[in-house]
Amino acid sequence: MLTYQSPEKFSVLGLPVHVVENYPHWLVESLKQGRGTHVVTLNAEMTMQARRNPSLSTVIKNADLVIPDGAGVVLYLRFILKQQVRRFPGIELAEGLLQELGRKAPSTKVFFYGGSPGVAAKAADFWQQQVPNLNFVGTHSGYHSPETEKILLETLTELQPEVIFVGLGVPRQELWIAKNRTLCPQAIWIGVGGSFDIWSGSKSRAPQWLANNNLEWLYRLYQEPWRWRRMLALPEFFFQALISKDN
């Protein structure tokens, strides 16, 4: 049986990446021991954003668990740092955690926050069908006024959810979690990007053969062509990786 262990830590262009054998199990063990945990799912795009955004960089460095979400980060660990690690997409971490909760801790209070109006609720309905004994205590759209956000924060304080998925996109979700995680200090907080869109059926994931060949980003670009400027972070990441290798 796996037990809690401190994650092995590596540096990718100055940002931490933690490696453990089983991330969902590690998080459930953290939950059982009441250790509040901020999880960041690091990819090349976020890494490049952090180099230009000191606030984001600080949040990532202070996170309790940073997983290798993107192919670029994994390739850096494999070829620059010579570590045999595998990619663990954030959506798969979230799915694995929900499944693990259903098996081992079904009373855990779960909250979904983010996405367009109704999307988080549909995502929760999807997971309630997949794992009927999950304990959802609430959902909230990511589109709201400051007044409505105040009510959201009061709701979180009152409900004290133990697992909170935040789908606001990078870097907004990371900064929002860092600012507000003290409201539920023993909770697991995870930025899940567009996962709610996929679970609600609004969008689809890349075909497995693209993901297996580290080309999931290409499918995202096909679905969201407006992302092309952000995708320029990928060659920039690899250029910086080469420079760091030479140094």
Side-chain angles (χ1 to χ4, degrees), residues 114-132:
S116 302
V119 168
K122 288 181 180 179
D125 288 342
F126 167 81
W127 274 105
Q128 199 74 78
Q129 294 174 24
Q130 299 296 309
V131 186

Side-chain angles (χ1 to χ4, degrees), residues 27 30-31 34-39 64 97 108-111 156 160-165 177 180-190:
L27 288 171
S30 295
L31 184 66
R35 287 191 308 273
T37 305
H38 179 190
V39 182
D64 305 286
L97 178 57
T108 301
K109 294 184 286 186
V110 180
F111 195 98
L156 291 174
Q160 286 298 301
E162 297 157 281
V163 174
I164 304 168
F165 288 178
I177 290 172
N180 295 294
R181 62 179 294 195
T182 54
L183 297 176
C184 306
Q186 295 182 316
I188 293 172
W189 300 74
I190 307 179

